[in-house]
Structures are given as structure tokens and as C-alpha cells.
Amino acid sequence: MPVLGIDVGGTQIKAGLVSDSGTVLRAEKVATPGNLDAFVAALQGVSARLLDGVGDLTGVGIGCKGVIHPSDTTVITSPGPIRYLDGHKLSSFFPEGTRVVADNDARVALAGEVVWGAAKGCTDALMLTLGTGVGGGILSDGRILRGATGIAGHLGHYTVERDGQLCICGNRGCIETIFSARSIESDAAAVLHRAAKTSMPPNVTCQQVFEHARAGDLAARMIIDGGISKLAGAVAGLFLMFDPQVMIIGGQIAQAGDQIFVPLREQVYARTRDFLMREIPIVGSQVADSTGVLGAAALLLHQF
Ligand SMILES: [Zn+2]
């Protein structure tokens, strides 16, 4: 029986009917409503349309921004426009008896990779999603780590600079402050503001910083090279902590490909080879799932 995978984001709700072999049979997306009543109506409408003619709903996997209670699907805290979900159980929006599992979007992405992607068959894997912010997930001994209160695995908030920039989480110098799209763009804006020599245009995007670094712009290269060096230090520490079989790097920034992966692999290997005595693969995500729908379904189909 197919199941529903749903990704709840700040701007869109994306949903799909997913087969147990990981095929999205039908998909739909709607704008995320601005209040709870409209949200519940939108969720139920999408579900009904996807299930039309297929049968009853057997299970739903949900990926949602924020901190989600691992056992009862309560949204403990969700940032920004879907703050109205705080304190609500996502399972309560579906008919009684429906099996509903939910977790944050980064853990859901890891679930997708374990069931169908780069961590298939693995018991131990790490995932970093380098996007606007930096998300993370940890698979250890076959379980996705959630910790005592659901926070575990927020690798984006691993401290890499003791006295670094203030982070959204209240700490300083987190990975997110050195290698998220926002931090790379703010570093580039600082270069421009200082009127330092650069070919980067005003309001430069993260993708453009990578392009200018590739083209040899010194200021852009300093931002990217410095970021990769700090990221490599963090990944090396994580490798020694979790001894994974693979590390998956997803998110929009990972699309820079070899520009990140080649120096990152080199530096992490140099830092860890004596102790690990092997090279742990650092790879891109394989589940081509920009929607988050497949990962959400994987959460339901696999016992984590
Ligand atoms: Zn942080």
C-alpha cells in the first residue's frame, strides 16, 4: 500500500503518494497557510486528493521545520511563518487510527538516504544539509539519534570557532555561521562594504560567490577556502565521534560539487587517517528529492 509523504515548509506544503520502492506516484503542493485552521484544511484537502481512488490512508510520514517530538509528533518549536503549529500534534490532523510519524526536515532527508540513497544498508551515517541554514542528522547503530528532548543531530550548530559570529541558536561560531548560504553571503557583503578588491557584484548570492571563487577572485576564494577548512575540522571531529560508514552532504550549496567535495575530502582524510585508518566516503545526496516527500515516506517505511 502506498503511503503519504508530506513536507511542511514555511512557504509550501509538498505532499506525495509514495510506493514502498520509493516512487512518487502522485504529487501536489500548496502554499503554506497563515493560520492553523487553514493549515489543517489544506493538509486534509491535499491528502484527500492524493488518495482519491487509491483507498484509505494507512500511514503518513511528515517532515517539518523545527523541533518535533519524536514519539508523539508534537511540534515543540517551529520557526517563522508556521509558528502557529507550536504545541500541536501533527497526528491529530489525520483520522484516528492513522499511523503518523514526523521529524525535522534534515532527519527526514537522512531517512530517505538510508532507505533509498547514499546510506542504503548503512547502520552508521551522518548527513549535513548546507542550505540557507545548516541542518544535520545522525544514524548510529541503525537508529536516527534524537536525544533526550529531540535536539540531537543539529550538526549545523556544532561549534567550530570559539569566539565566532553570533548564531541564530544563541551560540557563537557554529557551522551555520561559516558555511550556510546566509553566512557566505554576509561574508561577501562585508568584503564589498569594506570596498576591498573583488569582482563580486553588490547583493552577491552564495552561488555567485562560488562562481567568482572558481574564476579566481581572491576575496571570494578566501571566503570559500576558509569555510571549507573550518568545515573539514568539524567533519573530522564528527568522524572520530560517530565512526560513520558514510557522510552525505546535501542542500543547495552541495551543488557546487567538486569545488567543495575535493578539498573537503582531502582535508578531512589528512586530519583523520592516523586514527581511523581508512577514508570515510563524503558524498552528495542520492535521493533526488528536492521536495522532501520521499524522505518523509521513508521515515514511515523504515523502523528507525
Ligand atoms: Zn548555532
Side-chain angles (χ1 to χ4, degrees):
M1 275 298 285
V3 298
L4 283 186
I6 300 177
D7 176 79
V8 177
T11 54
Q12 282 187 324
I13 299 171
K14 297 164 198 153
L17 194 65
V18 179
S19 74
D20 53 12
S21 60
T23 305
V24 179
L25 305 169
R26 290 180 190 173
E28 219 182 282
K29 56 187 171 189
V30 293
T32 306
N35 64 71
L36 184 64
D37 288 344
F39 176 85
V40 175
L43 206 59
Q44 290 171 346
V46 163
S47 305
R49 288 194 293 279
L50 288 172
L51 289 162
D52 187 32
V54 175
D56 290 336
L57 184 55
T58 52
V60 187
I62 304 173
C64 186
K65 289 213 172 301
V67 179
I68 317 296
H69 198 286
S71 57
D72 70 2
T73 76
T74 301
V75 178
I76 296 165
T77 167
S78 191
I82 48 172
R83 193 164 288 280
Y84 55 77
L85 290 176
D86 286 8
H88 291 277
K89 276 188 185 141
L90 294 169
S91 61
S92 70
F93 305 147
F94 295 90
E96 212 167 316
T98 308
R99 187 164 167 251
V100 183
V101 296
D103 217 324
N104 76 45
D105 44 357
R107 289 202 195 113
V108 158
L110 174 60
E113 295 296 332
V114 172
V115 176
W116 295 301
K120 195 171 177 184
C122 291
T123 55
D124 295 84
L126 300 177
M127 175 136 197
L128 262 184
T129 53
L130 304 172
T132 311
V134 177
I138 300 164
L139 181 79
S140 182
D141 283 337
R143 290 187 312 120
I144 292 182
L145 294 190
R146 295 187 168 87
T149 61
I151 305 286
H154 275 80
L155 302 181
H157 300 287
Y158 188 55
T159 311
V160 287
E161 281 186 307
R162 190 190 64 179
D163 299 316
Q165 296 292 320
L166 194 59
C167 182
I168 193 171
C169 72
N171 188 11
R172 300 177 64 174
C174 303
I175 293 178
E176 184 159 311
T177 68
I178 57 119
F179 220 73
S180 61
R182 278 201 189 122
S183 66
I184 288 169
E185 284 163 6
S186 70
D187 285 351
V191 168
L192 289 157
H193 190 60
R194 288 197 303 271
K197 191 180 171 197
T198 178
S199 56
M200 292 188 286
N203 301 315
V204 63
T205 64
C206 176
Q207 193 186 342
Q208 287 172 321
V209 178
F210 275 93
E211 286 163 9
H212 282 265
R214 264 201 306 278
D217 183 87
L218 179 64
R221 277 192 58 179
M222 285 176 71
I223 294 168
I224 301 302
D225 293 353
I228 289 173
S229 162
K230 288 168 193 161
L231 185 64
V235 171
L238 292 169
F239 277 8
L240 298 175
M241 239 186 273
F242 293 103
D243 189 15
Q245 292 153 296
V246 65
M247 167 138 216
I248 304 157
I249 301 202
Q252 67 186 77
I253 300 181
Q255 286 165 11
D258 284 353
Q259 199 177 356
I260 294 179
F261 283 97
V262 170
L264 184 64
R265 285 178 190 133
E266 256 173 39
Q267 292 177 38
V268 172
Y269 183 55
R271 283 171 176 267
T272 57
R273 63 186 163 203
D274 287 353
F275 201 15
L276 290 173
M277 292 186 290
R278 71 186 200 278
E279 184 169 8
I280 295 170
I282 300 174
V283 301
S285 58
Q286 283 178 8
V287 176
D289 180 23
S290 58
T291 61
V293 164
L294 274 175
L299 202 61
L300 185 76
L301 293 171
H302 189 82
Q303 289 291 334
F304 288 108

